[in-house]
Amino acid sequence: MALTAVLVPMRCHFWLPAAIGSLFMAALIGWLARPISQRPDQLRSSLADLLDHDSTVGSSVVPKVPLGADHVPLEIRVGLVSQSPITAFRPGPNVLCRYQHGDVIPAQELMKRIASSPQHEIHCSGGPVQINQQHYQGDVSLLKGQGDWLPVVSLDLENYVASVVGAEMPSSWHGEALKAQAVAARSYAMAHLARPATTAYHLGDTTRWQVFAGDQSTTPASRSATRETRGIILSYSGGIVESLYASNAQVSAEAHGHLGASMSQSGAQQLAHQGLPFNAILGRYYAGASLARLTWHDQ
């Protein structure tokens, strides 16, 4: 299990609004939070319209779990830093790969083209792919910079969270600890939807951000924890909490003590075994934050 979601000093403190502000957040959410599938209703551009809050902001009580469980399909782009360089790329049977200008690449020639093509972008869609030894669901873009090709996978936020939960916390752990991890992982991801790591992807797949291993780390337990907390994030004063966490209290203090609050994963497991539900666990580590849920709003 990875020690922490962010192991290097961050430029912002615990509360994301202190770094970017409500107006900046509202504008970015409208641009970055694009639904994967088309629906007649659309997400509004205002962050305040996306989030349904409880009334516990700034209090010491356990944050209430917001009602509702609508799925808000947000797309997140993950740079598969751990899979560069690409030594093997196997598209699924229905996957179609094209160059940026639209020319189709035959599947049997794909690795040859990756090794020798002067093109700088290849886009694959239509099914799962295997990159090196890992399997991924979602559309994959191969981007060539100054050196090796970098794969970037675009997938639904909830599918991403399920993989992160399985990678960051043992799936055999208590369900309430896994649900606390799901909320923390989703909130951290939403912060990077608003503040992308690069123009090509929102965040990477390693401990520099939070670990994402595609299908390999997606388990029935991680899917259940994600489903039971669907759309729930940590919020403070209308903004998104960049929810830092680490394997235990000592690592959390060493890595994030200068930044503010941080969840101990082993501590969350202990609290769950003491009978605390996930929202009470989160309240212990992110004091003053509320729980908010991403929701659809009529135009």
Side-chain angles (χ1 to χ4, degrees):
M1 182 178 65
L3 290 180
T4 178
V6 182
L7 288 174
V8 299
M10 303 293 292
R11 287 176 294 176
C12 65
H13 292 285
F14 171 58
W15 305 121
L16 189 60
I20 53 184
S22 298
L23 292 177
F24 186 46
M25 285 287 297
L28 280 176
I29 284 292
W31 176 54
L32 292 167
R34 300 187 299 275
I36 294 175
S37 57
Q38 295 298 317
R39 287 184 51 159
D41 47 349
Q42 299 290 324
L43 289 175
R44 292 191 180 185
S45 60
S46 170
L47 178 61
D49 287 339
L50 267 179
L51 304 182
D52 279 352
H53 295 270
D54 66 24
S55 59
T56 63
V57 175
S59 71
S60 60
V61 301
V62 174
K64 293 184 295 185
V65 179
L67 298 177
D70 291 342
H71 177 49
V72 180
L74 301 178
E75 182 182 72
I76 189 165
R77 300 189 302 277
V78 186
L80 304 180
V81 179
S82 68
Q83 301 306 316
S84 181
I86 300 171
T87 57
F89 188 97
R90 296 182 178 88
N94 298 317
V95 174
L96 190 64
C97 295
R98 301 175 179 269
Y99 287 121
Q100 184 179 15
H101 50 66
D103 288 351
V104 175
I105 305 171
Q108 64 272 20
E109 296 184 16
L110 192 54
M111 275 306 299
K112 179 181 177 182
R113 301 290 182 90
I114 290 173
S116 61
S117 174
Q119 301 290 331
H120 288 79
E121 290 189 31
I122 296 174
H123 303 283
C124 300
S125 61
V129 302
Q130 179 180 335
I131 304 174
N132 299 338
Q133 302 301 314
Q134 300 279 77
H135 292 82
Y136 299 94
Q137 303 285 339
D139 295 342
V140 174
S141 296
L142 306 180
L143 309 176
K144 189 174 184 179
Q146 297 297 321
D148 295 312
W149 291 85
L150 172 69
V152 176
V153 61
S154 300
L155 72 163
D156 183 84
L157 175 65
E158 297 300 312
N159 293 335
Y160 166 78
V161 170
S163 177
V164 172
V165 171
E168 288 283 1
M169 185 174 280
S171 289
S172 60
W173 280 17
H174 197 289
E176 295 302 313
L178 293 173
K179 287 192 279 187
Q181 177 66 69
V183 174
R186 186 182 296 107
S187 190
Y188 184 86
M190 284 294 296
H192 283 271
L193 276 168
R195 193 196 62 209
T198 74
T199 56
Y201 55 86
H202 295 112
L203 74 176
D205 66 337
T206 67
T207 54
R208 166 63 181 84
W209 296 272
Q210 53 187 6
V211 179
F212 167 75
D215 293 351
Q216 179 173 311
S217 61
T218 303
T219 68
S222 74
R223 284 194 294 266
S224 177
T226 301
R227 182 175 60 253
E228 292 179 33
T229 62
R230 179 182 292 173
I232 298 177
I233 66 170
L234 288 153
S235 180
Y236 183 78
S237 297
I240 301 168
V241 174
E242 186 177 32
S243 42
L244 304 175
Y245 54 88
S247 60
N248 56 52
Q250 179 180 351
V251 176
S252 178
E254 291 173 355
H256 306 140
H258 63 296
L259 299 173
S262 173
M263 183 178 74
S264 161
Q265 292 167 310
S266 61
Q269 169 75 340
Q270 293 171 6
L271 292 172
H273 276 296
Q274 293 172 18
L276 270 66
F278 78 93
N279 53 319
I281 294 171
L282 292 168
R284 289 284 186 94
Y285 290 108
Y286 307 104
S290 66
L291 294 179
R293 189 186 294 275
L294 306 174
T295 60
W296 290 103
H297 291 271
D298 296 332
Q299 293 288 352

